[in-house]
Amino acid sequence: MILQVKNIRKAFDGMEVLKGIDLSVDKGDVVAILGASGGGKTTLLRCINFLERADSGELTFDNRTYDLAKITNKEIAAIRRRTAFVFQNYNLFLNKTAIQNVTEGLIVARKMDKGKAMEIGRAALDKVGLSDRLDYYPNQLSGGQQQRVAIARALATDPEIIYFDEPTSALDPELTGEVLSVMKELADEGMTMLVVTHEIGFAKNVSKRTMFIENGVVVEQGESREFFAHPKEERTSEFIRAISAKE
Ligand SMILES: Nc1ncnc2c1ncn2[C@@H]1O[C@H](COP(=O)(O)OP(=O)(O)OP(=O)(O)O)[C@@H](O)[C@H]1O
Ligand SMILES: [Mg+2]
């Protein structure tokens, strides 16, 4: 197990958004998180990757367990060095080219030699099918290409797990496919991924396990095949029907 979270809680202004969620991800697994808007999915990912501080709970990363109320900045930095995050809106630097976006973190934060960073950056962009777009700025790239740059930036840091927050939901349907196929390729190669998504096909066919979160709690989770074929909770079947109808 690479990641385990127990009883994670988070409130904003007294409103509880995460009400004690447990989850675990094994090395090499893809876990999908589904759920209606406002249910706490983004907050959950942000708390797990410390973009937001949880109020309480326990997080185990690579066999070390931390109390989320007490974890130190130093411990957070050490964990974050081994994880990566892909945002819905790409979060690229608009004044930097694709290759600069990918190498910036390596050169500045990780103090990597520029030549080595370029080599890794080129390989990462090649991996997502963008070796012919190294010197393009984000506004010269389609949404799907921008998201693939963001995935290359994640890959370049050689993470042990990548968190994705609705990576295709800002994209037109025809651009969604190119991003999902990169993600599927990573999954096939054994990358560990925790993916918030509305793409039912990805959850069903690529992820090993699927979780359904609503109002800050896990309503149901299971092996993806079983989860979709035989949901146990009425609320889960309703949700699956509703998002399937939209496709
Ligand atoms: N920084 C914040 N300050 C106050 N409230 C917040 C903050 N971030 C999130 N919330 C609230 O927490 C709840 C959960 O939000 P969150 O973004 O985690 O939902 P989500 O499941 O990701 O929804 P969506 O599918 O729309 O992305 C919402 O009610 C939201 O308004
Ligand atoms: Mg969200």
Side-chain angles (χ1 to χ4, degrees):
M1 189 137 45
I2 175 88
L3 174 79
Q4 181 167 46
V5 174
K6 282 192 188 158
N7 201 19
I8 191 169
R9 290 176 181 271
K10 173 71 179 174
F12 291 109
D13 313 316
M15 269 281 295
E16 222 178 13
V17 169
L18 301 181
K19 302 172 185 168
I21 287 183
D22 295 346
L23 75 86
S24 65
V25 184
D26 284 332
K27 212 170 166 41
D29 275 4
V30 177
V31 175
I33 300 177
L34 304 180
S37 184
K41 305 177 302 293
T42 295
T43 306
L44 175 64
L45 277 194
R46 289 177 62 86
C47 286
I48 292 174
N49 204 34
F50 307 101
L51 297 165
E52 197 85 67
R53 288 294 289 260
D55 298 327
S56 63
E58 215 177 77
L59 180 140
T60 304
F61 186 84
D62 192 20
N63 297 318
R64 274 195 65 186
T65 299
Y66 307 85
D67 178 339
L68 289 172
K70 295 186 190 141
I71 188 166
T72 65
N73 289 336
K74 199 173 160 198
E75 289 167 330
I76 289 174
I79 295 172
R80 291 198 61 196
R81 193 166 270 274
R82 301 169 61 186
T83 67
F85 203 101
V86 174
F87 298 85
Q88 182 174 358
N89 292 311
Y90 335 128
N91 274 23
L92 298 177
F93 294 112
L94 299 179
N95 60 341
K96 291 189 193 303
T97 62
I99 187 76
Q100 287 169 340
N101 266 285
V102 174
T103 56
E104 170 86 3
L106 302 179
I107 297 167
V108 176
R110 296 189 189 217
K111 315 266 181 261
M112 194 181 279
D113 162 81
K114 188 158 181 235
K116 175 85 182 151
M118 286 296 285
E119 190 186 311
I120 291 173
R122 277 198 206 96
L125 283 165
D126 186 39
K127 177 119 205 135
V128 301
L130 289 175
S131 37
D132 57 344
R133 293 287 188 277
L134 301 190
D135 299 320
Y136 283 55
Y137 287 90
N139 68 7
Q140 300 171 317
L141 297 169
S142 72
Q145 290 170 334
Q146 291 182 62
Q147 190 59 295
R148 286 187 283 143
V149 172
I151 294 173
R153 176 177 59 184
L155 292 175
T157 64
D158 193 21
E160 283 160 68
I161 182 167
I162 308 182
Y163 305 113
F164 292 83
D165 188 8
E166 297 198 31
T168 60
S169 62
L171 300 174
D172 294 338
E174 68 269 29
L175 298 181
T176 295
E178 69 188 43
V179 170
L180 290 178
S181 68
V182 165
M183 290 172 66
K184 179 169 188 316
E185 197 180 312
L186 296 179
D188 290 343
E189 289 170 8
M191 177 60 78
T192 310
M193 310 199 275
L194 181 59
V195 185
V196 172
T197 185
H198 289 301
E199 293 297 329
I200 206 162
F202 182 85
K204 210 190 272 187
N205 304 318
V206 181
S207 75
K208 180 147 191 264
R209 282 190 299 122
T210 298
M211 306 175 66
F212 173 47
I213 289 179
E214 197 161 60
N215 299 322
V217 299
V218 178
V219 174
E220 181 164 352
Q221 61 175 312
E223 294 284 320
S224 296
R225 192 172 312 187
E226 186 62 17
F227 179 95
F228 287 101
H230 307 288
K232 293 186 182 63
E233 302 291 329
E234 179 50 31
R235 187 58 200 116
T236 312
S237 342
E238 241 174 55
F239 184 80
I240 294 171
R241 271 200 305 276
I243 60 172
S244 309
K246 269 192 235 156
E247 295 210 326

